[in-house]
Amino acid sequence: MDLGHTDQDIPVKDETEREDIELELLLEGIHRLYGYDFRDYAIPSLRRRIWHFIRAESLNNISQLQEKVLHYRPVFERLVHNLSIPVTEMFRDPNLFLTFRKKIVPLLRTYPYIRIWHAGCSTGEEVYSMAILLHEEGLLDKARIYATDMNDRSLERAKQGIFGIEKMKLYTKNYIEAGGTRSFSEYYTAKYNSVIFQPFLSKNMIFAEHNLATDRSFNEFNVIFCRNVMIYFNDTLRDHVHGLFYESLSRFGILVLGAKESIQFTEYSDSYEPLDRVEKIYRKIN
C-alpha cells in the first residue's frame, strides 16, 4: 500500500480545510497556554498576519509555527507583537479631535473629575494627544487617563513618551488642524533622532496591560476611546467588547469609535445617542 502522498497530491479543498484546522489548533493552544484569546478575531486579517509571521520566521506552515509558539515563549511574544501591529499617530484624523474639543470638552468642564480610557492605545500617540488637548483646555489636572493594550512592548514605548523626530512634521500639521492653540514644539524636546514629550503630560496617565477579549471592566469612565481596534474582531468578539464598554461607561459617558466602526447593529445601539455621526462619537443614555 502506497502512502507516499505529497502536498501536490492533496486537493485544494482538503488543503484549505487542513489549514483551517491548523489555525484553530494554534489559536486554541495560545489561549490555553498563555491566556491570549485570538479565537474571535476576524479570520481573513488574522490569517494574513500569521502567514506574514511564518515567512519572517522561515517556517513552512502553521503547524510548524504552533510547535515553536507552544515550546518557545520568545516566539510567542514575537507573534503577539505581530498580531497587534501598532498603527497610530498623534492627532490622527484631526477633525475628530477638533470635534471633541468643541462638543465634548464643554461637557467635561461640568465634571469634578474626569476618567478617560484609551483601549488599545498602541504606542501611546493618541494618549499624549489627549493630554495636550486637555492641558490646553485647562482640564488635565483633574483628569486621569488610563491607557491599555495587550502588547507589552507597545506599552513600554508609550510609557517612555519617546517618538521618532521624522514624524514631527506630520504631527505638527495634525495638531494645528485639530485646533491646537500653542506651538506644538513646546510639548517636546528633540534629542538626536527622537523627541521626548514633557513629563507633565504623563503625570496623570496610567498604563496597563489589558486584553479586550479576555479581561473585564476595571473602572468607571466618563470617556472611552477605542478606534480602529474592533475592525479586526468578528461579530461575537465585537459584541463582547461593546458590552465591556457599556458596563465601563458612567451614565451619559462618551464612546469614541474609529471611522470604520459603529454602534449600529449591536445589541447596545439603543443605549446610545450620536453626538457626531461622522466622527463616531456617542453618548450613553441608558
Side-chain angles (χ1 to χ4, degrees):
M1 182 171 60
D2 181 14
L3 296 179
H5 297 299
T6 66
D7 286 346
Q8 287 76 15
D9 299 323
I10 300 174
V12 172
K13 180 180 178 181
D14 292 344
E15 178 65 20
T16 302
E17 183 178 359
R18 181 171 68 178
E19 184 177 299
D20 290 341
I21 294 171
E22 287 180 308
L23 182 57
E24 181 180 341
L25 291 173
L26 171 66
L27 301 182
E28 183 66 28
I30 289 173
H31 179 245
R32 292 176 63 177
L33 185 61
Y34 297 109
Y36 283 72
D37 195 351
F38 295 100
R39 295 174 298 177
D40 286 322
Y41 277 54
I43 292 299
S45 61
L46 187 65
R47 192 190 302 271
R48 285 194 299 271
R49 292 189 178 192
I50 285 176
W51 271 106
H52 175 80
F53 184 77
I54 287 172
R55 288 188 285 270
E57 295 286 315
S58 300
L59 302 174
N60 296 316
N61 52 53
I62 297 176
S63 289
Q64 288 185 5
L65 174 60
Q66 177 182 316
E67 179 183 4
K68 293 285 188 181
V69 164
L70 297 185
H71 289 275
Y72 302 99
R73 187 177 181 93
V75 178
F76 160 72
E77 292 174 350
R78 291 199 298 271
L79 176 62
V80 169
H81 182 69
N82 183 271
L83 294 181
S84 55
I85 296 173
V87 180
T88 186
E89 62 188 40
M90 294 199 71
F91 294 98
R92 180 172 56 163
D93 303 323
N95 195 62
L96 165 66
F97 285 90
L98 182 61
T99 302
F100 189 91
R101 192 186 290 261
K102 290 180 177 179
K103 292 187 176 182
I104 307 306
V105 164
L107 301 177
L108 299 183
R109 291 192 192 283
T110 66
Y111 299 164
Y113 192 77
I114 304 166
R115 289 191 183 92
I116 299 176
W117 179 17
H118 287 265
C121 71
S122 186
T123 46
E125 283 86 341
E126 185 177 80
V127 183
Y128 284 88
S129 301
M130 178 57 64
I132 290 171
L133 187 155
L134 293 175
H135 170 69
E136 293 184 351
E137 297 296 333
L139 297 176
L140 184 58
D141 286 341
K142 70 172 185 177
R144 186 63 58 91
I145 305 175
Y146 296 78
T148 66
D149 201 275
M150 60 173 285
N151 190 324
D152 58 348
R153 290 164 64 180
S154 293
L155 278 175
E156 191 56 39
R157 288 183 57 191
K159 289 177 186 178
Q160 295 172 355
I162 300 175
F163 304 102
I165 197 170
E166 75 281 356
K167 298 179 180 179
M168 288 306 111
K169 183 176 181 180
L170 170 62
Y171 291 176
T172 300
K173 176 177 178 293
N174 288 351
Y175 165 76
I176 294 171
E177 293 178 2
T181 61
R182 304 174 64 171
S183 171
F184 187 58
S185 61
E186 293 180 20
Y187 293 111
Y188 63 82
T189 301
K191 189 173 183 180
Y192 302 112
N193 294 321
S194 300
V195 303
I196 181 167
F197 277 83
Q198 300 294 348
F200 79 86
L201 292 172
S202 59
K203 66 179 181 180
N204 289 340
M205 293 180 187
I206 298 175
F207 294 93
E209 282 192 57
H210 184 277
N211 191 326
L212 291 172
T214 57
D215 294 336
R216 306 179 70 175
S217 175
F218 59 93
N219 212 325
E220 183 177 79
F221 300 96
N222 306 110
V223 179
I224 295 178
F225 267 70
C226 186
R227 303 177 61 218
N228 304 312
V229 175
M230 288 187 281
I231 57 175
Y232 300 110
F233 300 165
N234 67 15
D235 290 342
T236 300
L237 182 53
R238 195 176 300 117
D239 287 343
H240 165 78
V241 174
H242 274 297
L244 173 65
F245 291 159
Y246 178 82
E247 179 185 351
S248 301
L249 274 174
S250 61
R251 190 181 183 200
F252 302 125
I254 305 299
L255 177 63
V256 183
L257 301 177
K260 297 180 180 179
E261 298 163 334
S262 175
I263 201 72
Q264 292 182 343
F265 309 115
T266 74
E267 61 178 292
Y268 297 95
S269 58
D270 293 335
S271 301
Y272 294 85
E273 64 175 355
L275 296 184
D276 194 289
R277 294 183 185 277
V278 174
E279 300 302 336
K280 305 298 178 66
I281 302 175
Y282 305 90
R283 176 163 58 186
K284 180 180 176 180
I285 55 175
N286 59 48

mmCIF file of all heavy atoms in Angstrom, residues 156-186:
data_model
loop_
_atom_site.group_PDB
_atom_site.id
_atom_site.type_symbol
_atom_site.label_atom_id
_atom_site.label_comp_id
_atom_site.label_asym_id
_atom_site.label_seq_id
_atom_site.Cartn_x
_atom_site.Cartn_y
_atom_site.Cartn_z
ATOM 1 N N GLU A 156 5.374 49.716 26.725
ATOM 2 C CA GLU A 156 6.640 50.213 27.241
ATOM 3 C C GLU A 156 7.079 51.458 26.469
ATOM 4 O O GLU A 156 7.568 52.430 27.059
ATOM 5 C CB GLU A 156 7.712 49.124 27.146
ATOM 6 C CG GLU A 156 8.983 49.446 27.898
ATOM 7 C CD GLU A 156 8.769 49.748 29.375
ATOM 8 O OE1 GLU A 156 7.927 49.076 30.005
ATOM 9 O OE2 GLU A 156 9.421 50.687 29.885
ATOM 10 N N ARG A 157 6.897 51.453 25.166
ATOM 11 C CA ARG A 157 7.210 52.634 24.361
ATOM 12 C C ARG A 157 6.305 53.803 24.730
ATOM 13 O O ARG A 157 6.745 54.948 24.812
ATOM 14 C CB ARG A 157 7.067 52.311 22.879
ATOM 15 C CG ARG A 157 8.160 51.418 22.319
ATOM 16 C CD ARG A 157 7.979 51.208 20.833
ATOM 17 N NE ARG A 157 7.960 52.464 20.098
ATOM 18 C CZ ARG A 157 7.603 52.583 18.823
ATOM 19 N NH1 ARG A 157 7.255 51.494 18.145
ATOM 20 N NH2 ARG A 157 7.612 53.754 18.228
ATOM 21 N N ALA A 158 5.035 53.492 24.974
ATOM 22 C CA ALA A 158 4.087 54.543 25.333
ATOM 23 C C ALA A 158 4.479 55.197 26.660
ATOM 24 O O ALA A 158 4.396 56.423 26.809
ATOM 25 C CB ALA A 158 2.679 53.963 25.412
ATOM 26 N N LYS A 159 4.898 54.403 27.631
ATOM 27 C CA LYS A 159 5.291 54.939 28.934
ATOM 28 C C LYS A 159 6.462 55.914 28.806
ATOM 29 O O LYS A 159 6.532 56.916 29.514
ATOM 30 C CB LYS A 159 5.693 53.794 29.864
ATOM 31 C CG LYS A 159 4.553 52.918 30.334
ATOM 32 C CD LYS A 159 5.093 51.784 31.198
ATOM 33 C CE LYS A 159 4.010 50.801 31.576
ATOM 34 N NZ LYS A 159 4.541 49.665 32.374
ATOM 35 N N GLN A 160 7.369 55.617 27.892
ATOM 36 C CA GLN A 160 8.555 56.452 27.744
ATOM 37 C C GLN A 160 8.248 57.800 27.103
ATOM 38 O O GLN A 160 8.952 58.790 27.346
ATOM 39 C CB GLN A 160 9.611 55.713 26.910
ATOM 40 C CG GLN A 160 10.149 54.456 27.581
ATOM 41 C CD GLN A 160 11.043 53.653 26.650
ATOM 42 O OE1 GLN A 160 11.201 53.985 25.468
ATOM 43 N NE2 GLN A 160 11.623 52.585 27.165
ATOM 44 N N GLY A 161 7.205 57.871 26.296
ATOM 45 C CA GLY A 161 6.856 59.130 25.642
ATOM 46 C C GLY A 161 7.895 59.599 24.652
ATOM 47 O O GLY A 161 8.080 60.810 24.453
ATOM 48 N N ILE A 162 8.591 58.650 24.019
ATOM 49 C CA ILE A 162 9.650 58.969 23.059
ATOM 50 C C ILE A 162 9.199 58.544 21.665
ATOM 51 O O ILE A 162 8.799 57.391 21.462
ATOM 52 C CB ILE A 162 10.962 58.264 23.435
ATOM 53 C CG1 ILE A 162 11.427 58.707 24.833
ATOM 54 C CG2 ILE A 162 12.052 58.570 22.409
ATOM 55 C CD1 ILE A 162 12.651 57.968 25.328
ATOM 56 N N PHE A 163 9.273 59.453 20.715
ATOM 57 C CA PHE A 163 8.814 59.175 19.362
ATOM 58 C C PHE A 163 9.843 59.673 18.354
ATOM 59 O O PHE A 163 10.686 60.520 18.664
ATOM 60 C CB PHE A 163 7.457 59.838 19.115
ATOM 61 C CG PHE A 163 6.402 59.438 20.114
ATOM 62 C CD1 PHE A 163 6.057 60.285 21.156
ATOM 63 C CD2 PHE A 163 5.776 58.210 20.021
ATOM 64 C CE1 PHE A 163 5.099 59.915 22.084
ATOM 65 C CE2 PHE A 163 4.811 57.827 20.944
ATOM 66 C CZ PHE A 163 4.475 58.676 21.984
ATOM 67 N N GLY A 164 9.756 59.149 17.139
ATOM 68 C CA GLY A 164 10.710 59.495 16.096
ATOM 69 C C GLY A 164 10.567 60.946 15.647
ATOM 70 O O GLY A 164 9.454 61.423 15.415
ATOM 71 N N ILE A 165 11.698 61.618 15.520
ATOM 72 C CA ILE A 165 11.651 63.031 15.142
ATOM 73 C C ILE A 165 11.151 63.218 13.710
ATOM 74 O O ILE A 165 10.597 64.275 13.361
ATOM 75 C CB ILE A 165 13.052 63.670 15.322
ATOM 76 C CG1 ILE A 165 12.939 65.195 15.351
ATOM 77 C CG2 ILE A 165 14.016 63.197 14.220
ATOM 78 C CD1 ILE A 165 14.223 65.881 15.767
ATOM 79 N N GLU A 166 11.310 62.182 12.889
ATOM 80 C CA GLU A 166 10.884 62.289 11.497
ATOM 81 C C GLU A 166 9.368 62.427 11.371
ATOM 82 O O GLU A 166 8.853 62.829 10.322
ATOM 83 C CB GLU A 166 11.378 61.076 10.700
ATOM 84 C CG GLU A 166 10.635 59.769 10.931
ATOM 85 C CD GLU A 166 11.058 59.063 12.221
ATOM 86 O OE1 GLU A 166 11.976 59.557 12.900
ATOM 87 O OE2 GLU A 166 10.464 58.008 12.531
ATOM 88 N N LYS A 167 8.625 62.111 12.430
ATOM 89 C CA LYS A 167 7.172 62.180 12.376
ATOM 90 C C LYS A 167 6.625 63.539 12.833
ATOM 91 O O LYS A 167 5.432 63.793 12.726
ATOM 92 C CB LYS A 167 6.564 61.075 13.249
ATOM 93 C CG LYS A 167 6.924 59.669 12.787
ATOM 94 C CD LYS A 167 6.313 58.626 13.706
ATOM 95 C CE LYS A 167 6.668 57.220 13.240
ATOM 96 N NZ LYS A 167 6.091 56.189 14.145
ATOM 97 N N MET A 168 7.483 64.389 13.348
ATOM 98 C CA MET A 168 7.006 65.621 13.962
ATOM 99 C C MET A 168 6.368 66.590 12.957
ATOM 100 O O MET A 168 5.475 67.351 13.313
ATOM 101 C CB MET A 168 8.143 66.309 14.711
ATOM 102 C CG MET A 168 8.547 65.607 15.994
ATOM 103 S SD MET A 168 7.179 65.297 17.156
ATOM 104 C CE MET A 168 7.066 63.486 17.049
ATOM 105 N N LYS A 169 6.817 66.562 11.728
ATOM 106 C CA LYS A 169 6.208 67.438 10.727
ATOM 107 C C LYS A 169 4.741 67.070 10.529
ATOM 108 O O LYS A 169 3.853 67.947 10.517
ATOM 109 C CB LYS A 169 6.974 67.352 9.407
ATOM 110 C CG LYS A 169 6.448 68.301 8.336
ATOM 111 C CD LYS A 169 7.297 68.246 7.075
ATOM 112 C CE LYS A 169 6.780 69.206 6.015
ATOM 113 N NZ LYS A 169 7.606 69.161 4.777
ATOM 114 N N LEU A 170 4.467 65.772 10.390
ATOM 115 C CA LEU A 170 3.084 65.320 10.241
ATOM 116 C C LEU A 170 2.290 65.597 11.509
ATOM 117 O O LEU A 170 1.153 66.084 11.450
ATOM 118 C CB LEU A 170 3.050 63.823 9.926
ATOM 119 C CG LEU A 170 1.677 63.154 9.966
ATOM 120 C CD1 LEU A 170 0.751 63.757 8.915
ATOM 121 C CD2 LEU A 170 1.800 61.642 9.783
ATOM 122 N N TYR A 171 2.889 65.322 12.664
ATOM 123 C CA TYR A 171 2.183 65.509 13.926
ATOM 124 C C TYR A 171 1.867 66.984 14.169
ATOM 125 O O TYR A 171 0.801 67.318 14.710
ATOM 126 C CB TYR A 171 3.002 64.947 15.089
ATOM 127 C CG TYR A 171 3.127 63.433 15.086
ATOM 128 C CD1 TYR A 171 3.914 62.785 16.036
ATOM 129 C CD2 TYR A 171 2.474 62.652 14.138
ATOM 130 C CE1 TYR A 171 4.029 61.407 16.047
ATOM 131 C CE2 TYR A 171 2.593 61.284 14.133
ATOM 132 C CZ TYR A 171 3.376 60.651 15.091
ATOM 133 O OH TYR A 171 3.495 59.289 15.094
ATOM 134 N N THR A 172 2.769 67.857 13.766
ATOM 135 C CA THR A 172 2.524 69.287 13.907
ATOM 136 C C THR A 172 1.344 69.717 13.034
ATOM 137 O O THR A 172 0.475 70.481 13.459
ATOM 138 C CB THR A 172 3.774 70.094 13.539
ATOM 139 O OG1 THR A 172 4.850 69.718 14.411
ATOM 140 C CG2 THR A 172 3.521 71.587 13.650
ATOM 141 N N LYS A 173 1.323 69.215 11.820
ATOM 142 C CA LYS A 173 0.213 69.510 10.903
ATOM 143 C C LYS A 173 -1.106 69.024 11.496
ATOM 144 O O LYS A 173 -2.105 69.747 11.494
ATOM 145 C CB LYS A 173 0.472 68.841 9.546
ATOM 146 C CG LYS A 173 -0.654 68.995 8.527
ATOM 147 C CD LYS A 173 -0.254 68.352 7.212
ATOM 148 C CE LYS A 173 -1.357 68.436 6.172
ATOM 149 N NZ LYS A 173 -2.535 67.599 6.552
ATOM 150 N N ASN A 174 -1.108 67.791 12.016
ATOM 151 C CA ASN A 174 -2.322 67.249 12.624
ATOM 152 C C ASN A 174 -2.766 68.099 13.814
ATOM 153 O O ASN A 174 -3.959 68.376 13.992
ATOM 154 C CB ASN A 174 -2.088 65.804 13.090
ATOM 155 C CG ASN A 174 -1.992 64.817 11.944
ATOM 156 O OD1 ASN A 174 -2.261 65.153 10.799
ATOM 157 N ND2 ASN A 174 -1.610 63.594 12.250
ATOM 158 N N TYR A 175 -1.802 68.485 14.629
ATOM 159 C CA TYR A 175 -2.092 69.270 15.832
ATOM 160 C C TYR A 175 -2.763 70.599 15.468
ATOM 161 O O TYR A 175 -3.756 70.991 16.088
ATOM 162 C CB TYR A 175 -0.785 69.514 16.597
ATOM 163 C CG TYR A 175 -0.856 70.589 17.645
ATOM 164 C CD1 TYR A 175 -1.481 70.349 18.873
ATOM 165 C CD2 TYR A 175 -0.283 71.849 17.426
ATOM 166 C CE1 TYR A 175 -1.542 71.347 19.835
ATOM 167 C CE2 TYR A 175 -0.339 72.834 18.391
ATOM 168 C CZ TYR A 175 -0.969 72.580 19.595
ATOM 169 O OH TYR A 175 -1.027 73.563 20.553
ATOM 170 N N ILE A 176 -2.242 71.271 14.465
ATOM 171 C CA ILE A 176 -2.813 72.543 14.043
ATOM 172 C C ILE A 176 -4.244 72.343 13.544
ATOM 173 O O ILE A 176 -5.169 73.089 13.910
ATOM 174 C CB ILE A 176 -1.931 73.198 12.959
ATOM 175 C CG1 ILE A 176 -0.576 73.587 13.550
ATOM 176 C CG2 ILE A 176 -2.637 74.417 12.361
ATOM 177 C CD1 ILE A 176 0.436 74.039 12.514
ATOM 178 N N GLU A 177 -4.444 71.309 12.717
ATOM 179 C CA GLU A 177 -5.778 71.041 12.173
ATOM 180 C C GLU A 177 -6.752 70.594 13.253
ATOM 181 O O GLU A 177 -7.978 70.733 13.099
ATOM 182 C CB GLU A 177 -5.690 69.985 11.073
ATOM 183 C CG GLU A 177 -4.939 70.450 9.836
ATOM 184 C CD GLU A 177 -4.833 69.370 8.779
ATOM 185 O OE1 GLU A 177 -5.385 68.262 9.007
ATOM 186 O OE2 GLU A 177 -4.210 69.624 7.725
ATOM 187 N N ALA A 178 -6.228 70.052 14.366
ATOM 188 C CA ALA A 178 -7.072 69.596 15.474
ATOM 189 C C ALA A 178 -7.438 70.730 16.423
ATOM 190 O O ALA A 178 -8.063 70.491 17.457
ATOM 191 C CB ALA A 178 -6.358 68.484 16.242
ATOM 192 N N GLY A 179 -7.043 71.949 16.088
ATOM 193 C CA GLY A 179 -7.414 73.105 16.896
ATOM 194 C C GLY A 179 -6.400 73.480 17.951
ATOM 195 O O GLY A 179 -6.724 74.203 18.903
ATOM 196 N N GLY A 180 -5.148 73.005 17.809
ATOM 197 C CA GLY A 180 -4.108 73.340 18.763
ATOM 198 C C GLY A 180 -3.939 74.844 18.918
ATOM 199 O O GLY A 180 -4.022 75.582 17.931
ATOM 200 N N THR A 181 -3.695 75.282 20.137
ATOM 201 C CA THR A 181 -3.667 76.719 20.420
ATOM 202 C C THR A 181 -2.273 77.261 20.711
ATOM 203 O O THR A 181 -2.116 78.456 20.941
ATOM 204 C CB THR A 181 -4.572 77.032 21.629
ATOM 205 O OG1 THR A 181 -4.086 76.336 22.788
ATOM 206 C CG2 THR A 181 -6.004 76.624 21.351
ATOM 207 N N ARG A 182 -1.276 76.379 20.697
ATOM 208 C CA ARG A 182 0.085 76.816 21.011
ATOM 209 C C ARG A 182 1.026 76.291 19.931
ATOM 210 O O ARG A 182 0.601 75.731 18.927
ATOM 211 C CB ARG A 182 0.488 76.315 22.400
ATOM 212 C CG ARG A 182 -0.473 76.752 23.482
ATOM 213 C CD ARG A 182 -0.183 76.156 24.837
ATOM 214 N NE ARG A 182 1.101 76.583 25.378
ATOM 215 C CZ ARG A 182 1.485 76.328 26.619
ATOM 216 N NH1 ARG A 182 0.711 75.650 27.437
ATOM 217 N NH2 ARG A 182 2.667 76.746 27.046
ATOM 218 N N SER A 183 2.312 76.465 20.155
ATOM 219 C CA SER A 183 3.299 75.874 19.262
ATOM 220 C C SER A 183 3.511 74.423 19.689
ATOM 221 O O SER A 183 3.827 74.141 20.855
ATOM 222 C CB SER A 183 4.624 76.641 19.336
ATOM 223 O OG SER A 183 5.629 75.943 18.629
ATOM 224 N N PHE A 184 3.349 73.495 18.763
ATOM 225 C CA PHE A 184 3.445 72.075 19.105
ATOM 226 C C PHE A 184 4.814 71.728 19.672
ATOM 227 O O PHE A 184 4.941 70.854 20.535
ATOM 228 C CB PHE A 184 3.150 71.236 17.856
ATOM 229 C CG PHE A 184 3.054 69.763 18.124
ATOM 230 C CD1 PHE A 184 2.131 69.261 19.029
ATOM 231 C CD2 PHE A 184 3.895 68.867 17.461
ATOM 232 C CE1 PHE A 184 2.034 67.889 19.271
ATOM 233 C CE2 PHE A 184 3.810 67.508 17.705
ATOM 234 C CZ PHE A 184 2.874 67.019 18.609
ATOM 235 N N SER A 185 5.849 72.422 19.220
ATOM 236 C CA SER A 185 7.208 72.122 19.674
ATOM 237 C C SER A 185 7.420 72.425 21.156
ATOM 238 O O SER A 185 8.395 71.974 21.750
ATOM 239 C CB SER A 185 8.228 72.906 18.832
ATOM 240 O OG SER A 185 8.025 74.293 18.963
ATOM 241 N N GLU A 186 6.506 73.172 21.769
ATOM 242 C CA GLU A 186 6.612 73.448 23.200
ATOM 243 C C GLU A 186 6.432 72.185 24.045
ATOM 244 O O GLU A 186 6.860 72.147 25.198
ATOM 245 C CB GLU A 186 5.549 74.472 23.626
ATOM 246 C CG GLU A 186 5.743 75.865 23.057
ATOM 247 C CD GLU A 186 4.650 76.810 23.536
ATOM 248 O OE1 GLU A 186 4.013 76.489 24.572
ATOM 249 O OE2 GLU A 186 4.429 77.837 22.883
#
